Amino acid sequence: MIEVRNLTKSFDDKTVLHGVDATFYTGKTNLIIGQSGSGKTVLMKSLVGLLRPEEGEILFDGRDLLKMKRDEIADLRKEIGMLFQGSALFDSETVLGNVMFPLTMFSDMNRAQQRERAMFCIERVNLLGAENKYPSEISGGMQKRVAIARAISLNPRYLFCDEPNSGLDPKTSILIDELLSDITHEYDITTVINTHDMNSVLGIGENIIFINKGYREWVGDMSQIYNTSNEALNNFVFATRLFQEVREYVAEHGTIAKRKS
Amino acid sequence: MLLTESLATFGRYCMFMTRAFAIPDRWSVFGRRTIAEVSKLGIGSIPLVLIISVFIGAVCTIQMKLNTSSPLMPAYSVGLATREIILLEFSNSILCLILAGKVGSNIASEIGTMRVTEQIDALEIMGINSVNYLVMPKVLAFVCFMPVLVVFCMFTAILGGYGVAIFTDIISVSKYEYGIQAMFTEWYVWYAIIKSLFFAFIIVTISSFYGYYVKGGALEVGKASTDSVVSSSVFILLFDVILTKLLLQ
Ligand SMILES: Nc1ncnc2c1ncn2[C@@H]1O[C@H](COP(=O)(O)OP(=O)(O)OP(=O)(O)O)[C@@H](O)[C@H]1O
Ligand SMILES: [Mg+2]
C-alpha cells in the first residue's frame, strides 16, 4: 500500500500539485486519471522520488520516501518497476538487452536464466520475434510494450505505469490492460497507472483517483463512476458520445457485460 | 554574481564526482562497459590522432626550417626543436584540446540525450547510481588509454617530420635524424604522459557533468555539448600552466 498525504509540488512559482491525498492499494489496479496537463506525470514522478515535492508524505508500506537517504531510496527502488510516458528505452541495447538489463544488474540468475526470464516477459507483451531489434527499429507502441516488459522483469512489488496504452491500437491496448491487471492480482503488486483512456478506466479501474488541475477531485471505482455527481469528472469521463451512451445504457440496465466474462 | 554562480557550479561538480566515485552495482557490468568505452573513446580516436599528428609534425619541421635559417644555428636544430615541441606541448595539451572537441562533445551529447529521453531516470528508478554507471567506465577507460594516444601521437608526429626530410629537400635525412636524438631528455615523455592523464580526466568529467544536467530537449543537448568543449578547453589550458610550473621546475 502506498499512502500519499498532502503532497504539494511547484515549479518555480507555478504550483502543479495542491495538497494531494491518495491511497494506492496492494493487489489492486490503482488508476490516476485526469486531463492532459493536470499533473498526473508530476504526481507519479513524485511518488517514485524523481521529483522532490515541497510538502507531504509518501509512505511505501509505512516507509516515508521523503525521509529516506539516498541508499535507502536505491534499495526501495529495487522493488519498483516503472514505465515512462516516453518509454525511455536504452538506445544502445536491443529489445532483449533492455528487458534483461534489470536482471543483469540485480538478479542472481545466470545468463541463461536471465535470458529465459526476459523472453518470458517479452512473450507476455506479445513481442516475440522482435527481441533482436533496436528501439529505433520498432514502432512507438512496440517500444511501450518493451518498456512494460522491462518494468515487470524483476517482479516488482510496486509497479508504476505512465500512460501504458497511449499510442496503442484498441486491441493491443486491451491486451496491455489485461496484462497489467493480471500480474497485479497474480503477484499481489501495488500497481499505479496514469491514464486518460476511458476504456482502461471502465475496464480495470479498481481504485480511481481523479486529478483536476492539480487537486484531487474524486476517488472511487469503475462502478461508481457512472453515477457520480462530480461535474468535472462527468465532463472528463463522458466527453465522448460513446461513453454518454454507455452511461445511459448502464442507467437503464444496471451494468454492462463484463469484458472478461 | 558570476563568482557565486561559478562556485555553485563547482560545488555541483564536486557532488557529481562524489556520486561518480562509488562502488559499482555490478563489477561484471562495469568491466564490460569499460572495455566498450576503451574501444569507443580510445581506439575510436586513433584515426584522428594519426592524421593530425602526421601533418602537424610535418608542418612543424617545415616551419622550423623556414623561420630559423640562420648561419648561427646548427642544421640539426630543426629536428631538435620539432621534437621538443611535439613532446612538450603538441602530444598532450594540443592533442587534448582537439580530443576535447571529439570525445567531449560525444560524451556530453550521449549523456545529455539520455537525460532528455528519461533514460537516466529509468536507470535511477531501477536503483542504479546513474552517475557511477555512466561516468566511471568512461573516466577509467579514457584516462588509461590516454598514454597510448600520447605516445602514438609523438611517434607519428616525428614520423611526419621524417617524411618531410625524405620527400623534400628542405632538410636532409641525416640532419633530421641527428636532431631528433640530440640532447634528449626522457623526463619530457613522462611529463607529457602525466599532463595528459589530468587532461583526460578533465575532458571526461566536465563533459559528462554538462550532459548529465541538461534540462529541456535536443536544443539544450547541443548547447551542453558546445559548452562542455569550451569549458574543458579552458580547464586544460589552465592546468597546462599549473602542471608545467610544477613538473618542469
Ligand atoms: N519540469 C517541469 N518544469 C516546469 N513545469 C512542469 C515540469 N513538468 C511538468 N510541468 C507542468 O506541470 C503540469 C502538469 O504536467 P504533467 O506532465 O504532470 O501533466 P500530465 O497530467 O501528465 O499530462 P499528460 O496527460 O499530457 O501527460 C503542466 O502544466 C506542466 O507545464
Ligand atoms: Mg503525463
Side-chain angles (χ1 to χ4, degrees), chain A residues 40-41 85 162-163:
Chain A
K40 301 185 296 294
T41 300
Q85 193 164 357
D162 199 349
E163 310 210 354

Side-chain angles (χ1 to χ4, degrees), chain A residues 11 14 16 34-43 85 162-163 194 196:
Chain A
F11 293 102
K14 179 170 176 261
V16 175
Q35 277 180 6
S36 180
S38 55
K40 301 185 296 294
T41 300
V42 172
L43 175 58
Q85 193 164 357
D162 199 349
E163 310 210 354
N194 274 359
H196 37 52

Side-chain angles (χ1 to χ4, degrees), chain A residues 7 20 26-27 42 56 58 60 81 99 103 117-118 121 131 138 163 168 187 194 229 236 242:
Chain A
L7 201 70
V20 171
T26 307
V42 172
I58 301 168
F60 281 79
V99 181
L103 301 167
R117 169 75 193 157
C121 296
E131 62 267 17
I138 59 179
E163 310 210 354
L168 298 182
Y187 302 109
N194 274 359
S229 54
F236 174 72
L242 174 66

